[in-house]
Amino acid sequence: MERTEKMPAETRPPGVATVDPGSVLLPGHDVPLGRYTTVRRLLPQRQRRLVGAWCFVDHFGPDDVAERPGMEVPPHPHTGLQTVTWLLDGEILHRDSLGNVQPIRPGQLNVMTSGHGIAHSERSPAQHPPLMHGVQLWVALPDPARAGEADFAHHAELPRWRDDDLDVTLLVGELAGERSPAVVHTPLLGAQLEPRGPAPATLRLRPDFEYALLAMSGAADVDGVGLTPGALLYLGTGRERLSLRGEPGSRLLLLGGTPFDEPLVMWWNFVGRSHEEVVAAREEWMAGRRFGVVADDPAPPLPAPALPTTRLKARDRSGGVHG
């Protein structure tokens, strides 16, 4: 798709609620994606740019697409990141410039590593399920992975288990002695949590990680804080455990990782370190170089938007400007 600090109360933007010291409730905002899909963008925001190396969170649906094409995102480029796609409902066909053509369905995971550059498209097949619901996330790549080879992996089977009244599906990283098959390049966690009973469930966390929790469906209570569908609760660092309770059918996405301290320039579909890097990536995409041609997709590639008139600034994980 296209694109542990405390927030002082006096600098908190309107609509962003303080929930406890070190935590911030982020409501997100709607962004059109292609002609037929609107996503709720939860990262990056001005007050919180990253959670670990997770630098981009889009939540889409649940949408009724029975009489609509569903997702239609033509070929577009990426550099300096991984895309992580997880569906709750629906089907998407991934195509990329490495030659991969891979459908993804609920319970499966797609991880695309751009390295120095890749192009891909995402479309619902002509015959698709009536509902579309899921998330796509970006992971900022560190050196030297961001300058390395592009890659794509599809994981049809992931670790799943029940811990008391909590069903867990591990997308990325390690949790409770289990390890995901997905390859990542910094210490990272992504897990779907499904509370199954009225009693609160407790999950052990790593205090050196920073965490956030997204309510994908159903409401939840997280350490006494109400979380409604489509909101992201930033939990900060230093937590050793998390207590949560969800209504029947609730599905939550836990994201975490060690704080990613390299300042980033994020513009359109590129994650870089400087204005010059992003300018070069845009020029090469528009010239038809570096990113390759998406397999088996006749649609013309998306043109890059015009660059802003001011210089792009690198920002750190809390939004501070560098350079």
Side-chain angles (χ1 to χ4, degrees), residues 165-186:
D165 288 326
L166 189 67
D167 285 346
V168 181
T169 304
L170 184 59
L171 281 58
V172 170
E174 299 180 39
L175 185 66
E178 299 284 347
R179 177 191 289 269
S180 166
V183 174
V184 291
H185 299 271
T186 56

Side-chain angles (χ1 to χ4, degrees), residues 55-77:
C55 62
F56 187 95
V57 176
D58 271 356
H59 173 229
F60 50 92
D63 293 327
D64 183 351
V65 295
E67 304 298 328
R68 293 188 290 153
M71 186 166 289
E72 286 289 317
V73 184
H76 58 281

Side-chain angles (χ1 to χ4, degrees), residues 116-184:
H116 186 58
I118 196 171
H120 75 143
S121 66
E122 295 157 298
R123 301 182 186 277
S124 298
Q127 301 298 318
H128 55 264
L131 288 179
M132 175 70 69
H133 188 194
V135 291
Q136 191 178 74
L137 312 108
W138 293 0
V139 179
L141 287 172
D143 289 323
R146 71 187 190 93
E149 296 294 324
D151 191 24
F152 173 80
H154 173 76
H155 301 287
E157 299 291 334
L158 295 166
R160 292 179 169 86
W161 68 93
R162 174 163 289 188
D163 186 353
D164 293 329
D165 288 326
L166 189 67
D167 285 346
V168 181
T169 304
L170 184 59
L171 281 58
V172 170
E174 299 180 39
L175 185 66
E178 299 284 347
R179 177 191 289 269
S180 166
V183 174
V184 291

Side-chain angles (χ1 to χ4, degrees), residues 4-5 48-55 139-142 172-174 184-190 205-212 234 236-239 255-262 264 316-318:
T4 9
E5 310 144 88
R48 176 52 50 188
R49 308 291 296 178
L50 297 98
V51 176
W54 300 104
C55 62
V139 179
L141 287 172
V172 170
E174 299 180 39
V184 291
H185 299 271
T186 56
L188 210 63
L189 174 68
L205 303 180
R206 286 180 50 169
D208 60 324
F209 272 31
E210 60 180 344
Y211 291 95
Y234 175 71
T237 58
R239 291 177 182 260
L255 301 175
T258 53
F260 190 89
D261 290 325
E262 300 177 42
L264 302 176
D316 62 27
R317 59 195 177 95
S318 60

